[in-house]
Amino acid sequence: MLAGVASIKAQQTRMNVIGNNLANVNTTAYKGSRITFQDMIAQTLRGASRPSGTLGGTNPIQFGLGVLIGGTDTNNEQGSLNTTNRPTDFAIQGNGFFQVSNSDRIAFTRDGAFDLDAKGDLVHRATGERMLGWTADPATGAIDTNVPIGPSSFLNIPIGARTAVQQTTEINWVGNLDARVFGTAGVTATQALVNVIDPLGNDHQLTLNFQESASGLPNQWDWSVTGDTGTTVTGSGTLTFDPTNGTLQTGSPGNITVTPDPATGVPAFDISLDFTGVSQLAAEMQVNASNQNGFAPGSLSSFNVGPDGIITGLYTNGLTRPLGQISMAVFPNANGLERLGNNLWRDTDNSGIPVIGAPRSGGRGSINSGFLEQSNVDIGNEFTDLIITQRGFQANTKVVTTVDEMLQDLINMKR
């Protein structure tokens, strides 16, 4: 009877696990569990004996005393991904866990349903805990993933925040100076316009002037730059081209100093001109600015997250700049993690120390923005286990009722 009762209790526990799996069949990134049984210590009536010269050996005589719960295992297999089109929903494809914090401790989750709070922090939608990662340098956008992650390493995306101005320091030029045009030294051959940004974000229009060199050599061109009203530009130079192939030999880069109208109070600033993209061929004359690295003031309008977890901000002035990078943790034994509820896990002595790093590195998976991982519970397997567990429960109740009848017959012997 005691063996039957022990088995009934074990089957009830297995039913609890199956019921919990089915209850969480639609829980985001839920990992199903299974239960394993082990036989209880057996009672030995007679031990085994070795063979002798006249008799063979005998096996031990034992009978079991029931069943015990051997353990519960977590199935950490990948769940399918479901598209949501929300930029703050993230699904991990591969190994790894997001890190979240309540400012006191760090927990881990595969649930990528995040959102932005009033402060612009990325928070776990179910618990309000903040996502952890590395913050980019606000001036350069550089991300140092060697910085340790702590409970306060929050990721912030300040939508609407104004970005600092980026002053123009370099202009790249491309085009061609017509090798067929000579004999007009001192006369402007072509002009090119470009807008540059001063240290306060004001826009200035500069005009680049090319003319045949006063030296009279057909492969030399003088250049100079003039500014718009109130803007003074100093700096000029000469470009020398190879007469055999039209490529630039000397004259790049050049440097100019732009001095805005003194009434604006803006200090003078230097700009480097790169002419390596300019050639001298027998073709149409045209020179244009291909790029200038300055940006006027703008505000953060949106963002996106790449597979490597880098959060890139998109500004109204056309600037794109990294804001931070999501950190990810992997464990030597992910099955050793302990459930905390709310789709959160914590590390234990048997899970090993979390190894923190960037997504798509060190065996960590990639991040899919606009997706959520689904539960990996297989309903067909769970229903099959449900039937098997029910039969096991029924069989052991028969053992209990049969033993009860035997005991009743034993008591009735006295009558």
Side-chain angles (χ1 to χ4, degrees), residues 36-271:
T36 56
F37 297 146
Q38 64 183 23
D39 61 329
M40 196 178 297
I41 186 171
Q43 182 172 343
T44 302
L45 300 182
R46 187 185 68 190
S49 63
R50 69 178 59 190
S52 64
T54 56
L55 296 175
T58 58
N59 295 324
I61 298 177
Q62 297 177 298
F63 63 88
L65 300 177
V67 66
L68 292 174
I69 302 298
T72 55
D73 302 321
T74 302
N75 177 14
N76 280 301
E77 293 298 317
Q78 176 76 46
S80 60
L81 304 188
N82 181 40
T83 182
T84 64
N85 295 320
R86 290 176 59 100
T88 55
D89 284 344
F90 311 120
I92 298 174
Q93 181 72 44
N95 297 324
F97 293 82
F98 297 115
Q99 293 179 277
V100 294
S101 171
N102 61 3
S103 298
D104 293 328
R105 59 96 182 98
I106 296 177
F108 307 92
T109 183
R110 295 274 298 190
D111 181 0
F114 289 88
D115 213 338
L116 294 179
D117 67 5
K119 294 182 178 179
D121 292 330
L122 270 175
V123 297
H124 192 228
R125 200 173 300 150
T127 62
E129 299 201 13
R130 293 180 173 91
M131 174 181 274
L132 303 183
W134 298 279
T135 300
D137 183 279
T140 64
I143 301 173
D144 185 1
T145 57
N146 293 318
V147 175
I149 295 294
S152 60
S153 301
F154 307 137
L155 286 172
N156 185 266
I157 304 176
I159 296 293
R162 188 170 296 276
T163 182
V165 171
Q166 182 169 310
Q167 169 200 315
T168 299
T169 60
E170 182 178 337
I171 304 175
N172 300 96
W173 299 92
V174 296
N176 181 66
L177 295 171
D178 196 343
R180 300 168 297 185
V181 178
F182 299 114
T184 56
V187 178
T188 300
T190 187
Q191 292 182 330
L193 301 179
V194 62
N195 291 332
V196 298
I197 307 300
D198 68 23
L200 293 185
N202 297 307
D203 189 68
H204 303 273
Q205 187 177 75
L206 306 185
T207 302
L208 177 66
N209 306 289
F210 280 103
Q211 60 190 31
E212 188 181 344
S213 175
S215 67
L217 296 177
N219 62 328
Q220 287 189 348
W221 299 80
D222 292 333
W223 62 266
S224 62
V225 181
T226 58
D228 53 16
T229 303
T231 300
T232 302
V233 183
T234 57
S236 60
T238 300
L239 304 182
T240 302
F241 295 88
D242 187 335
T244 62
N245 56 25
T247 59
L248 184 66
Q249 289 182 326
T250 62
S252 179
N255 293 288
I256 61 174
T257 299
V258 180
T259 305
D261 190 334
T264 64
V266 179
F269 58 99
D270 297 329
I271 299 177

Side-chain angles (χ1 to χ4, degrees), residues 319-337:
L319 176 67
T320 60
R321 176 172 291 173
L323 303 175
Q325 187 170 14
I326 297 171
S327 64
M328 191 179 292
V330 291
F331 294 87
N333 175 29
N335 287 336
L337 293 172

Side-chain angles (χ1 to χ4, degrees), residues 254-325:
N255 293 288
I256 61 174
T257 299
V258 180
T259 305
D261 190 334
T264 64
V266 179
F269 58 99
D270 297 329
I271 299 177
S272 173
L273 307 183
D274 188 342
F275 294 108
T276 54
V278 179
S279 61
Q280 178 191 265
L281 301 172
E284 180 182 357
M285 183 169 319
Q286 184 176 14
V287 178
N288 298 301
S290 63
N291 177 63
Q292 67 86 20
N293 62 351
F295 286 96
S299 57
L300 182 64
S301 59
S302 61
F303 67 95
N304 59 59
V305 179
D308 54 2
I310 294 179
I311 305 170
T312 302
L314 309 176
Y315 293 84
T316 55
N317 58 1
L319 176 67
T320 60
R321 176 172 291 173
L323 303 175
Q325 187 170 14

